[in-house]
Amino acid sequence: MRYDICLIKSSQYRGMERCLLATDFRNKRVKRIKGLYEELLERHFYCLSTIEKSPTKQGLYFLLDFYRELKKYGIPCECIVYNETPLEECFGFPLEFLGIDIVCDMAESILSDIPKNTVQHMLNENGLCTSITQVGQIVEKLDSGDVVWLPAYIYKVVDKNEDVQ
């Protein structure tokens, strides 16, 4: 299992290959508060080191705390977990199933930047597979055969402390 904080982009894709960059939280609200960008940048670097380690409950708490702060300043993001097999929860937090991504080494997704009019009709509203049976069909249509693509179950961590909107 792995976890991350990912930007919610205007594109449909909500899988694991969405990097949160330092430039993503340099918006008008952040710029107005002296020193805030630098503080967020420091926390972002700690976040990067946290996601590179084996997942822990403490690490997830840190990610959720950072996620809440980013949301407070208008940065559209979400905390996700992903795994090779289905999950029920993550360190006691409920999960919202987003779909099944198709990944190589849990680092690269074949779905993150697919050509138009290829397999979009097979994907859900999050740009992900809804069923494990779709994985082979999509790989057959998109892959040239030089990479081993495997399913990754993608979940949004349901933040129990988040205000209901």
Side-chain angles (χ1 to χ4, degrees), residues 52-121:
E52 290 301 316
K53 298 174 187 168
S54 293
T56 64
K57 189 173 189 173
Q58 182 180 358
L60 182 59
Y61 278 116
F62 170 78
L63 290 183
L64 285 169
D65 186 50
F66 188 43
Y67 154 79
R68 288 181 200 112
E69 187 163 7
L70 293 173
K71 293 279 288 187
K72 181 171 79 174
Y73 293 109
I75 293 108
C77 60
E78 61 190 352
C79 185
I80 66 166
V81 297
Y82 48 102
N83 197 46
E84 297 92 356
T85 58
L87 297 170
E88 295 292 321
E89 52 86 35
C90 182
F91 299 114
F93 283 89
L95 301 173
E96 175 188 328
F97 181 64
L98 298 177
I100 302 168
D101 207 340
I102 304 172
V103 303
C104 175
D105 296 329
M106 295 299 268
E108 176 185 2
S109 169
I110 200 170
L111 299 177
S112 68
D113 191 25
I114 55 177
K116 289 190 182 285
N117 303 317
T118 53
V119 297
Q120 287 87 348
H121 66 283

Side-chain angles (χ1 to χ4, degrees), residues 13-24:
Y13 177 74
R14 285 179 69 191
M16 53 74 55
E17 193 180 335
R18 296 177 288 150
C19 296
L20 180 66
L21 304 173
T23 54
D24 294 327

Side-chain angles (χ1 to χ4, degrees), residues 122-142:
M122 298 173 74
L123 305 175
N124 67 13
E125 66 277 2
N126 299 317
L128 301 169
C129 301
T130 56
S131 164
I132 195 74
T133 59
Q134 294 175 299
V135 173
Q137 298 166 352
I138 290 173
V139 169
E140 190 176 296
K141 291 178 186 267
L142 296 178

